[in-house]
Amino acid sequence: QLFCLVRSTLSTPEFYAQHSVMGLHHKEFENAGKRTGLQIWRIEHMEMVPVPENLHGSFYVGDAYIVLHTILQRNSGSYGLHFWLGMSTGLGLPGKECTQDESTAAAIFTVQLDDYLRGKPVQYRELQGFESTAFTSYFKGGITYKAGGVSSGFHHVVTNDLSAKRLFHIKGRRVVRATEVPLEWNSFNRGDCFIVDLGAVIYQWCGSMCNKFERLKAAQVATGIRDNERNSRAKLVIVEEGGEPEEMIKVLGVMPTLPDGDDNDDVVADVSNRKVARLYMVSDATGKMQVSLVSEENPFSQTHLLSDECFILDHGKNKTIYVWKGRNANPNERKEAMKTAEGFIKQMGYAANTQVSIPVKIYDVKIQVLPEGGETPIFKQFFKDWKDKDQSEGLGKVFVTERIAKIQQVKFDASKLHESQQMAAQYNMVDDGSGETEIWRVETGSKGESKVPVDPKTYGQFYGGDCYIILYTYRKGQIIYTWQGSNSTIDEVTASAFLTVKLDQLLHGRPIQVRVTQGKEPAHLLSLFKGKPLVIYKNGTSRQGGQAPAAPTRLFQVRRNLGTITRIAEVDAKASCLNSNDAYLLKVPKGPAYIWVGKGANEEEEQGAKYMSELLKCETKRITEGQEPVDFWKALGGKAEYQTSQRLERKTIVHPPRLFACSNKTGRFIIEEVPGEFTQDDLAEDDVMLLDVWDQVFIWIGKDANDVEKTESVKSAKMYIDTDPSGRDKETPVVIVKQGHEPPTFTGWFLGWDYSRWGTGSL
């Protein structure tokens, strides 16, 4: 049979019957997709077993997992549903204790969970080491692969095992992967970083040929092991090659001569494979599954996609297959979408053509299953003039692509949260934030670490140079939030983790601990400030005597991130820091402050600017973009170019910005996308980066990039545009920017850009 699951994923009829009877009634389904965030289950003895949240990102290579990412918005919900297979899962590798039924169960449960969520999720099949960008975006701190599996007796529990002896090899730059390898010198090389986990002490070993970007990523992994597996009770030590301490030598022996390593650190995409795609229709109308070619050249017409059928978009040359499920398609076709895709890959012979050598090569090809109405931006790029639900076309005509079950839109009201479970689910809130809140600032010095109480009148006003500990007590328990500012010192970050552990011990280990980095605050943390926005002052500290006098002219950027949650960040008081998508408060030495409302700003952002004026105790004058008085520009040092992309003026961004690392080092132009939300930290100084904002493409050149990459950068950008599968305008502008000299049209895509980071200012 042509369309069969590779590795007999649906195993035996007896096994399928045993598990399919659970249908939509598996107990784990009841909590799936009820809140925004990530849920992970491991397959243990053919059952779905939840993985503790603090161990998300760690995977045993002998196991199978189901990962559900949920985003609940005011009037709809979206889901990413992944089943992940370890390199040895179901493959029967020598020395690996795993069963074929683990992958069978993962596939069955994925189909059932998709049914339970009414077919709304976008489904992905993931293989260890070849995960999709969507999957890796969930784990910004990196992915850890651990040896063994459930059949070997390994379990996802926090053991505080201070006798552990493990070695992790850190690979990757944009997507960090920590793979457990044998604890011996033969596993090392001089070009990479390694984590030597000896339980009570965790060593970060840095080869003499690794760079600072790799060191930073290794530090993130080591810190994660310390905080998540040892509850911050282990000591973290950085070791340079040749400076190994006695404890390491006792375990590993004397270090021999090590190899240099290789340059194949990342799985990257050859840009020349991006363009070619084909569209096929899948049907079982005759009682037998058939595949017929619809179009062999993209971009395709959206009218090709019929709601009564399923389609395969074949991008196999770029190692990705998309299955589109029409809302009225045969139920069997919808349920068998993943199975059909795997059969299609085998039929097309992609398994034999893959360039990466793994035991079953067919798994180098990624699969995504998308329901009608749930198409991702990456899928839409293959179609010309894609129209979304209710998007106007012509004189009032509406092109409708999906019927969505009506979800009651609930306006956020913290005082009524306890009355509405729907509201609690939409905003990921344990309660309404009306419990007791205490906040301390972390201080370090000659007398050691300490936490100093913060004046309750200033709650919700944080300084980027500080770390804070927030204890929240409510009816059902306690939560400790540890907030770490982006400009805080290493000593303060370390002290904040230590003091959090001490507070946890003082409270008998009962509180929930949540570590929060600046800009990643969860909704519940912001609710503790009684509906007020979070304010982050530029640099500095709130400690007594540590604050320099405030500048007479100050500029605050107000941006809504998710839902109604608004954050306010102080930025440089210059016109180039403006952005048409946001609202701002400009405080001037004399007279009323200006509330500047960009063309793309929303009501919540304007309200945030008004709140900021109340904190600064200044009168205000509202102005809209394009109607600024002369004194406004004078206060900002003169009128200057700022981010005014027409796309920012629209309420909905059709083509979200994307950031890639690009290289010509191997003689081929290769690109790797930065997963998830990108920040200034993702711009590696020894790389060339490509920022695609659709109406123009930026090439950012790091100061340590090699000469070949610098000279070939424009040609690389042109190749990127020419090979875009959407058939975009070949004359799309290409803008070259160099590190430390970024124009506002570039920095405007990064929230709270720090011009002083590289010390050379900006244009």
Side-chain angles (χ1 to χ4, degrees), residues 547-586:
Q547 186 71 287
T553 302
R554 306 174 74 182
L555 184 63
F556 294 86
Q557 181 181 20
V558 186
R559 177 175 293 181
R560 186 184 70 179
N561 286 37
L562 294 171
T564 59
I565 297 173
T566 304
R567 296 173 177 84
I568 302 174
E570 184 176 8
V571 296
D572 291 335
K574 55 176 67 175
S576 60
C577 288
L578 296 176
N579 189 313
S580 291
N581 209 35
D582 300 324
Y584 288 77
L585 177 75
L586 174 62

Short mmCIF file of all heavy atoms in Angstrom, two decimals, residues 547-586:
data_model
loop_
_atom_site.label_atom_id
_atom_site.label_comp_id
_atom_site.label_asym_id
_atom_site.label_seq_id
_atom_site.Cartn_x
_atom_site.Cartn_y
_atom_site.Cartn_z
N GLN A 547 20.84 56.73 42.14
CA GLN A 547 20.18 57.26 40.97
C GLN A 547 20.70 58.66 40.63
O GLN A 547 20.72 59.55 41.48
CB GLN A 547 18.67 57.32 41.22
CG GLN A 547 17.87 57.73 40.01
CD GLN A 547 17.84 56.63 38.95
OE1 GLN A 547 18.82 56.39 38.28
NE2 GLN A 547 16.71 55.98 38.82
N ALA A 548 21.16 58.82 39.41
CA ALA A 548 21.60 60.14 38.96
C ALA A 548 20.37 61.01 38.70
O ALA A 548 19.27 60.50 38.47
CB ALA A 548 22.43 60.01 37.69
N PRO A 549 20.51 62.33 38.75
CA PRO A 549 19.36 63.22 38.48
C PRO A 549 18.76 62.92 37.11
O PRO A 549 19.48 62.66 36.14
CB PRO A 549 19.98 64.61 38.52
CG PRO A 549 21.21 64.47 39.38
CD PRO A 549 21.73 63.10 39.09
N ALA A 550 17.44 62.94 37.04
CA ALA A 550 16.75 62.64 35.78
C ALA A 550 17.04 63.72 34.75
O ALA A 550 17.17 64.90 35.08
CB ALA A 550 15.25 62.54 36.02
N ALA A 551 17.14 63.32 33.50
CA ALA A 551 17.37 64.27 32.41
C ALA A 551 16.15 65.17 32.26
O ALA A 551 15.02 64.74 32.50
CB ALA A 551 17.65 63.52 31.12
N PRO A 552 16.33 66.42 31.84
CA PRO A 552 15.18 67.33 31.69
C PRO A 552 14.23 66.90 30.57
O PRO A 552 13.04 67.19 30.61
CB PRO A 552 15.83 68.68 31.39
CG PRO A 552 17.19 68.34 30.85
CD PRO A 552 17.62 67.10 31.56
N THR A 553 14.77 66.23 29.55
CA THR A 553 13.94 65.74 28.44
C THR A 553 13.99 64.21 28.43
O THR A 553 15.08 63.62 28.39
CB THR A 553 14.44 66.28 27.09
OG1 THR A 553 14.43 67.71 27.13
CG2 THR A 553 13.56 65.79 25.95
N ARG A 554 12.82 63.59 28.48
CA ARG A 554 12.77 62.12 28.55
C ARG A 554 11.70 61.60 27.59
O ARG A 554 10.65 62.24 27.39
CB ARG A 554 12.47 61.65 29.98
CG ARG A 554 13.41 62.23 31.01
CD ARG A 554 13.00 61.87 32.43
NE ARG A 554 13.29 60.48 32.74
CZ ARG A 554 12.98 59.90 33.91
NH1 ARG A 554 12.35 60.61 34.85
NH2 ARG A 554 13.29 58.65 34.15
N LEU A 555 11.98 60.43 26.99
CA LEU A 555 11.06 59.85 26.02
C LEU A 555 10.72 58.42 26.45
O LEU A 555 11.62 57.63 26.74
CB LEU A 555 11.68 59.84 24.62
CG LEU A 555 10.81 59.33 23.47
CD1 LEU A 555 9.58 60.23 23.28
CD2 LEU A 555 11.62 59.26 22.17
N PHE A 556 9.42 58.10 26.50
CA PHE A 556 8.96 56.78 26.91
C PHE A 556 8.14 56.15 25.79
O PHE A 556 7.18 56.74 25.30
CB PHE A 556 8.12 56.87 28.18
CG PHE A 556 8.89 57.32 29.40
CD1 PHE A 556 9.06 58.67 29.66
CD2 PHE A 556 9.46 56.39 30.25
CE1 PHE A 556 9.78 59.09 30.78
CE2 PHE A 556 10.19 56.80 31.36
CZ PHE A 556 10.35 58.15 31.63
N GLN A 557 8.53 54.95 25.40
CA GLN A 557 7.86 54.20 24.35
C GLN A 557 6.82 53.28 24.98
O GLN A 557 7.11 52.54 25.92
CB GLN A 557 8.88 53.38 23.56
CG GLN A 557 8.30 52.56 22.42
CD GLN A 557 9.39 51.75 21.72
OE1 GLN A 557 10.45 51.50 22.29
NE2 GLN A 557 9.13 51.33 20.50
N VAL A 558 5.59 53.31 24.47
CA VAL A 558 4.50 52.50 25.03
C VAL A 558 4.05 51.51 23.96
O VAL A 558 3.66 51.92 22.86
CB VAL A 558 3.31 53.37 25.47
CG1 VAL A 558 2.26 52.51 26.17
CG2 VAL A 558 3.78 54.51 26.37
N ARG A 559 4.11 50.22 24.28
CA ARG A 559 3.75 49.20 23.30
C ARG A 559 2.93 48.11 23.96
O ARG A 559 3.29 47.59 25.00
CB ARG A 559 4.99 48.59 22.65
CG ARG A 559 4.67 47.47 21.67
CD ARG A 559 5.90 46.95 20.95
NE ARG A 559 6.46 47.95 20.05
CZ ARG A 559 7.53 47.74 19.29
NH1 ARG A 559 8.16 46.58 19.34
NH2 ARG A 559 7.98 48.69 18.50
N ARG A 560 1.82 47.77 23.32
CA ARG A 560 1.02 46.63 23.78
C ARG A 560 1.62 45.37 23.17
O ARG A 560 1.77 45.26 21.96
CB ARG A 560 -0.43 46.78 23.33
CG ARG A 560 -1.35 45.69 23.90
CD ARG A 560 -2.75 45.81 23.36
NE ARG A 560 -2.81 45.46 21.94
CZ ARG A 560 -3.91 45.47 21.21
NH1 ARG A 560 -5.05 45.84 21.77
NH2 ARG A 560 -3.89 45.14 19.94
N ASN A 561 1.93 44.41 24.03
CA ASN A 561 2.55 43.18 23.55
C ASN A 561 1.53 42.08 23.27
O ASN A 561 1.46 41.53 22.19
CB ASN A 561 3.59 42.68 24.56
CG ASN A 561 4.84 43.52 24.55
OD1 ASN A 561 4.76 44.72 24.38
ND2 ASN A 561 5.99 42.91 24.73
N LEU A 562 0.74 41.71 24.27
CA LEU A 562 -0.25 40.66 24.13
C LEU A 562 -1.55 41.11 24.77
O LEU A 562 -1.55 41.57 25.92
CB LEU A 562 0.22 39.37 24.81
CG LEU A 562 1.43 38.66 24.21
CD1 LEU A 562 1.89 37.54 25.11
CD2 LEU A 562 1.10 38.12 22.83
N GLY A 563 -2.67 40.96 24.04
CA GLY A 563 -3.95 41.34 24.62
C GLY A 563 -3.95 42.79 25.04
O GLY A 563 -3.64 43.69 24.27
N THR A 564 -4.32 43.03 26.29
CA THR A 564 -4.36 44.40 26.82
C THR A 564 -3.14 44.71 27.66
O THR A 564 -3.07 45.78 28.29
CB THR A 564 -5.62 44.60 27.67
OG1 THR A 564 -5.61 43.65 28.76
CG2 THR A 564 -6.88 44.37 26.84
N ILE A 565 -2.19 43.82 27.72
CA ILE A 565 -1.01 44.02 28.55
C ILE A 565 -0.07 45.03 27.88
O ILE A 565 0.30 44.88 26.71
CB ILE A 565 -0.26 42.70 28.79
CG1 ILE A 565 -1.17 41.74 29.57
CG2 ILE A 565 1.04 42.93 29.53
CD1 ILE A 565 -0.60 40.35 29.70
N THR A 566 0.29 46.06 28.62
CA THR A 566 1.10 47.13 28.07
C THR A 566 2.36 47.32 28.90
O THR A 566 2.32 47.26 30.13
CB THR A 566 0.31 48.45 28.06
OG1 THR A 566 -0.91 48.25 27.34
CG2 THR A 566 1.10 49.56 27.39
N ARG A 567 3.47 47.51 28.21
CA ARG A 567 4.74 47.78 28.87
C ARG A 567 5.26 49.13 28.40
O ARG A 567 5.05 49.51 27.25
CB ARG A 567 5.77 46.69 28.57
CG ARG A 567 5.39 45.32 29.11
CD ARG A 567 6.37 44.26 28.62
NE ARG A 567 6.08 42.95 29.16
CZ ARG A 567 5.20 42.10 28.67
NH1 ARG A 567 4.50 42.44 27.59
NH2 ARG A 567 5.00 40.92 29.23
N ILE A 568 5.94 49.84 29.28
CA ILE A 568 6.48 51.15 28.95
C ILE A 568 8.00 51.10 29.15
O ILE A 568 8.47 50.71 30.22
CB ILE A 568 5.88 52.24 29.85
CG1 ILE A 568 4.35 52.27 29.70
CG2 ILE A 568 6.47 53.61 29.52
CD1 ILE A 568 3.66 53.22 30.65
N ALA A 569 8.76 51.48 28.13
CA ALA A 569 10.21 51.46 28.22
C ALA A 569 10.78 52.84 27.90
O ALA A 569 10.39 53.45 26.89
CB ALA A 569 10.79 50.41 27.25
N GLU A 570 11.67 53.33 28.75
CA GLU A 570 12.33 54.60 28.49
C GLU A 570 13.40 54.40 27.42
O GLU A 570 14.18 53.44 27.48
CB GLU A 570 12.96 55.15 29.76
CG GLU A 570 13.57 56.52 29.59
CD GLU A 570 14.11 57.12 30.87
OE1 GLU A 570 14.14 56.40 31.90
OE2 GLU A 570 14.51 58.30 30.84
N VAL A 571 13.42 55.29 26.43
CA VAL A 571 14.39 55.21 25.33
C VAL A 571 15.10 56.56 25.19
O VAL A 571 14.77 57.53 25.88
CB VAL A 571 13.68 54.83 24.00
CG1 VAL A 571 13.08 53.44 24.10
CG2 VAL A 571 12.61 55.85 23.64
N ASP A 572 16.07 56.61 24.29
CA ASP A 572 16.79 57.86 24.07
C ASP A 572 15.84 58.94 23.55
O ASP A 572 14.98 58.67 22.70
CB ASP A 572 17.92 57.65 23.05
CG ASP A 572 19.03 56.78 23.60
OD1 ASP A 572 19.18 56.73 24.83
OD2 ASP A 572 19.74 56.14 22.79
N ALA A 573 15.98 60.16 24.06
CA ALA A 573 15.12 61.27 23.66
C ALA A 573 15.59 61.86 22.34
O ALA A 573 16.19 62.93 22.28
CB ALA A 573 15.08 62.33 24.75
N LYS A 574 15.34 61.13 21.27
CA LYS A 574 15.71 61.59 19.93
C LYS A 574 14.65 61.13 18.95
O LYS A 574 13.98 60.10 19.15
CB LYS A 574 17.09 61.07 19.54
CG LYS A 574 17.24 59.56 19.62
CD LYS A 574 18.61 59.10 19.13
CE LYS A 574 19.71 59.58 20.05
NZ LYS A 574 21.04 59.03 19.65
N ALA A 575 14.47 61.87 17.88
CA ALA A 575 13.41 61.59 16.92
C ALA A 575 13.55 60.22 16.28
O ALA A 575 12.55 59.58 15.92
CB ALA A 575 13.38 62.68 15.85
N SER A 576 14.78 59.76 16.13
CA SER A 576 14.99 58.47 15.47
C SER A 576 14.44 57.30 16.27
O SER A 576 14.32 56.19 15.75
CB SER A 576 16.49 58.26 15.22
OG SER A 576 17.20 58.28 16.45
N CYS A 577 14.08 57.51 17.55
CA CYS A 577 13.53 56.44 18.38
C CYS A 577 12.02 56.31 18.23
O CYS A 577 11.41 55.42 18.82
CB CYS A 577 13.88 56.66 19.86
SG CYS A 577 15.62 56.38 20.24
N LEU A 578 11.38 57.21 17.49
CA LEU A 578 9.94 57.12 17.29
C LEU A 578 9.61 55.93 16.39
O LEU A 578 10.44 55.47 15.61
CB LEU A 578 9.39 58.41 16.69
CG LEU A 578 9.52 59.68 17.55
CD1 LEU A 578 9.03 60.88 16.77
CD2 LEU A 578 8.76 59.53 18.85
N ASN A 579 8.37 55.47 16.49
CA ASN A 579 7.91 54.33 15.70
C ASN A 579 6.42 54.51 15.44
O ASN A 579 5.64 54.70 16.37
CB ASN A 579 8.18 53.03 16.47
CG ASN A 579 7.93 51.79 15.64
OD1 ASN A 579 6.91 51.69 14.98
ND2 ASN A 579 8.85 50.85 15.70
N SER A 580 6.01 54.45 14.19
CA SER A 580 4.61 54.68 13.84
C SER A 580 3.65 53.68 14.45
O SER A 580 2.45 53.91 14.48
CB SER A 580 4.44 54.65 12.31
OG SER A 580 5.06 55.76 11.71
N ASN A 581 4.16 52.58 14.95
CA ASN A 581 3.30 51.53 15.49
C ASN A 581 2.97 51.73 16.97
O ASN A 581 2.20 50.96 17.53
CB ASN A 581 3.96 50.17 15.31
CG ASN A 581 2.95 49.05 15.17
OD1 ASN A 581 1.89 49.23 14.61
ND2 ASN A 581 3.28 47.91 15.73
N ASP A 582 3.57 52.75 17.62
CA ASP A 582 3.48 52.89 19.07
C ASP A 582 2.98 54.27 19.48
O ASP A 582 2.83 55.18 18.66
CB ASP A 582 4.85 52.64 19.71
CG ASP A 582 5.38 51.26 19.41
OD1 ASP A 582 4.57 50.32 19.36
OD2 ASP A 582 6.60 51.12 19.22
N ALA A 583 2.75 54.42 20.79
CA ALA A 583 2.48 55.72 21.40
C ALA A 583 3.67 56.08 22.28
O ALA A 583 4.39 55.20 22.76
CB ALA A 583 1.19 55.68 22.22
N TYR A 584 3.88 57.39 22.50
CA TYR A 584 5.04 57.86 23.27
C TYR A 584 4.61 58.99 24.21
O TYR A 584 3.64 59.71 23.93
CB TYR A 584 6.14 58.40 22.35
CG TYR A 584 6.88 57.35 21.57
CD1 TYR A 584 6.30 56.75 20.45
CD2 TYR A 584 8.17 56.96 21.93
CE1 TYR A 584 6.97 55.79 19.72
CE2 TYR A 584 8.85 56.00 21.20
CZ TYR A 584 8.26 55.42 20.11
OH TYR A 584 8.93 54.47 19.40
N LEU A 585 5.36 59.12 25.29
CA LEU A 585 5.27 60.30 26.13
C LEU A 585 6.61 61.02 26.07
O LEU A 585 7.65 60.43 26.38
CB LEU A 585 4.96 59.93 27.59
CG LEU A 585 4.92 61.14 28.53
CD1 LEU A 585 3.64 61.94 28.32
CD2 LEU A 585 5.06 60.74 29.99
N LEU A 586 6.59 62.29 25.67
CA LEU A 586 7.80 63.11 25.62
C LEU A 586 7.70 64.18 26.71
O LEU A 586 6.88 65.09 26.62
CB LEU A 586 7.95 63.77 24.25
CG LEU A 586 9.11 64.78 24.13
CD1 LEU A 586 10.46 64.10 24.38
CD2 LEU A 586 9.09 65.45 22.76
#
